[in-house]
């Protein structure tokens, strides 16, 4: 199964993706955690990527698209994959469609996790206390939500037009959301 899980920051994508991918026995590809890994490794490229993430901005499409193309060419994705946090822009969506069309392996589902912004801010400020992520300060969270509304929210219409969009309510406990996802799949 080839899946995209998208939604605003803090909507539970990463949280749900891990459980779901294990159940479905497919790899999760999280661009956010790949970037955090690069940043943790240090060096010039790390500094550049950190400058986007820590300010709540997206890493440029070209960089993200190259990274995902390389990851999708690895053999463990042959039976499917779950993309967590990619695509995040219409350019990324188009590039992904082209990559998959070239192999005759289109997406099966694009799932949008919906959570009101008030709840998002509460969740991310809570995470900030536990994990101390540089992009979880209130000011950066507000920027991330604005960038999400401007650049990622339009993906829903694009996937709706392709007939593969499912919206899932992301409010409630992690298990409740997982049950809703299981129903869809
Ligand atoms: P991500 O790693 O995707 O960060 P995120 O949007 O905060 O989601 P994450 O998966 O970490 O958290 P989740 O919602 O599961 O991206 C980080 C940055 O990387 C981006 O801002 C951008 O700069 C860059 N980036 C990544 N992909 C990119 C792309 N394609 N293009 C360009 N740039 C890109 O969980 C959040 C919190 O909520 C957790 O603490 C969790 O425990 C909690 N939570 C989850 N479910 C809950 C529930 N049901 N109830 C209560 N709390 C819950």
């Amino acid at each position: 199964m080839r899946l995209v899980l998208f939604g605003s920051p803090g909507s539970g994508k990463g949280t749900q993706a891990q459980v779901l991918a294990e159940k479905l026995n497919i790899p999760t590809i999280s661009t956010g955690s790949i970037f955090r890994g690069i940043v943790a490794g240090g060096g010039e490229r790390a500094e550049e990527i950190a400058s986007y993430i820590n300010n709540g901005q997206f890493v440029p499409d070209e960089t993200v698209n190259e990274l995902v193309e390389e990851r999708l060419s690895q053999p463990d994705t042959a039976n499917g994959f779950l993309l967590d946090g990619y695509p995040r822009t219409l350019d990324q969506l188009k590039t992904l469609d082209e990559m998959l069309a070239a192999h005759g392996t289109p997406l099966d589902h694009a799932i949008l996790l919906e959570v009101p912004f008030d709840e998002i801010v509460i969740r991310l400020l809570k995470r900030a206390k536990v994990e101390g992520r540089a992009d979880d300060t209130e000011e950066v969270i507000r920027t991330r939500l604005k960038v999400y509304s401007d650049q990622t929210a339009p993906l829903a219409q694009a996937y709706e037009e392709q007939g593969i969009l499912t919206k899932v309510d992301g409010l409630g406990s992690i298990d409740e959301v997982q049950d809703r996802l299981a129903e869809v799949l």
Side-chain angles (χ1 to χ4, degrees):
M1 181 153 351
R2 290 175 295 273
L3 302 174
V4 158
L5 190 58
F6 72 113
S8 74
S11 57
K13 302 180 299 291
T15 309
Q16 298 296 336
Q18 271 183 342
V19 189
L20 203 56
E22 215 167 285
K23 268 192 199 161
L24 298 169
N25 202 20
I26 51 175
T28 306
I29 301 169
S30 159
T31 42
S33 36
I34 294 173
F35 289 136
R36 279 188 292 281
I38 295 173
V39 170
E44 206 176 300
R45 189 157 178 241
E47 264 178 44
E48 193 203 331
I49 287 176
S51 72
Y52 294 111
I53 295 184
N54 296 347
N55 289 309
Q57 302 297 332
F58 286 164
V59 175
D61 286 336
E62 204 187 335
T63 307
V64 193
N65 288 334
E66 267 174 30
L67 185 135
V68 172
E69 183 154 28
E70 204 278 317
R71 181 66 187 85
L72 287 179
S73 70
Q74 292 174 20
D76 66 331
T77 62
N79 293 324
F81 51 80
L82 195 168
L83 283 165
D84 155 23
Y86 178 92
R88 251 171 159 104
T89 66
L90 287 169
D91 178 274
Q92 293 178 16
L93 182 150
K94 188 168 161 272
T95 304
L96 175 66
D97 281 352
E98 285 166 4
M99 280 182 225
L100 298 177
H103 296 100
T105 53
L107 289 172
D108 296 301
H109 296 279
I111 300 174
L112 170 61
L113 268 183
E114 294 187 299
V115 177
F117 282 5
D118 290 351
E119 164 72 8
I120 295 293
V121 176
I122 294 169
R123 285 186 188 180
L124 294 182
L125 290 177
K126 196 168 156 198
R127 179 170 71 183
K129 284 195 188 138
V130 182
E131 296 181 19
R133 259 172 62 169
D135 58 346
D136 281 343
T137 64
E138 186 147 8
E139 195 194 337
V140 179
I141 293 167
R142 298 273 172 213
T143 305
R144 289 162 67 199
L145 291 176
K146 167 92 174 63
V147 173
Y148 170 80
S149 301
D150 292 346
Q151 300 198 47
T152 310
L155 269 57
Q157 196 188 332
Y159 281 133
E160 184 141 49
E161 283 165 10
Q162 292 187 13
I164 58 167
L165 178 75
T166 306
K167 293 180 183 175
V168 170
D169 179 6
L171 269 182
S173 73
I174 291 170
D175 285 347
E176 281 166 346
V177 179
Q178 190 59 224
D179 288 347
R180 284 176 209 139
L181 287 168
E183 257 172 50
V184 169
L185 298 169

